[in-house]
Amino acid sequence: MLEQLRKEMNQHLNAKNIPLYSILAKKAQKANIAFSPKALIGIMALLAVFVFGALSVLTAAELPVKIVLAIGMGIGGVYVWVNNKAKKRIGLLEEQLPDAVELMVRSLRVGHPFSAAIGIVSREVPDPLGSEFGIIADEAAYGRDVTESLKMFAERMDSQDLRFLAVAVAIQQQSGGNLAEILEGLAKVIRARFRLFRRVKAITAEAKWSGMFLSGFPIAALVLINVVQPNYYDDVRETPAFIPAALVVAVFLVMNIIFMKVMTNIKV
């Protein structure tokens, strides 16, 4: 029964062995994409075929360029879509978590057991957190330990706040104490962390967008030149310095992307 409850939610992680799908599996899991792994791979293939056809009709780009662009846009387009859905879902989940913890605190103080408090959260809090807690409540009803379910949920979402919740509940079950007071303090910590992350995100937004532009513009310009004017490099392509120069440019582009990522990735 537990396996049936988790079947749809674990379908993406169970398909990590499929070639090229491993880069998408964790994101699709976090985003709770309803499409099966085979369906997502089919969407990639259809998008790649469409892009290849559009490039063949609208441009005079060489065949290798069209193939690389079609595959890149087919995989990249689906990845960007899934990644955006995952970020949006996780952001909403983390925003709902303090209210859910406070709701559990109120439920515990009026005498409900912790498993009942989980069920109340699943009914009162909207998706996505309500649905996730509903699954945890169902698992508890079929005999699974609530702490284990919370730990699995935290690892699946890769959320530090959820790990705090799972650890707090596990410690209380092992050593005792007032769980309501523990969760009340945890809710305050989560709210403070959430405000701090929002502030850091606002402060670093300009730097991140500048880094993305400076990293992506040279690559976009290179691709656009090869699509619009395929013969642009014909005069220098056969010279001995062309390949070394191209390799040097590629190395500098990679270094630029890594450096911009390091500069704008602030750990809190």
Side-chain angles (χ1 to χ4, degrees), residues 138-154:
D138 291 339
E139 289 180 343
Y142 285 103
R144 190 174 190 180
D145 184 62
V146 177
T147 304
E148 182 182 352
S149 297
L150 284 172
K151 289 180 179 178
M152 293 295 295
F153 176 39

Side-chain angles (χ1 to χ4, degrees), residues 16-35:
K16 289 176 64 176
N17 294 329
I18 298 176
L20 294 178
Y21 194 75
S22 58
I23 62 175
L24 192 66
K26 289 185 178 181
K27 298 292 184 181
Q29 183 76 14
K30 293 177 183 178
N32 197 26
I33 299 295
F35 290 111

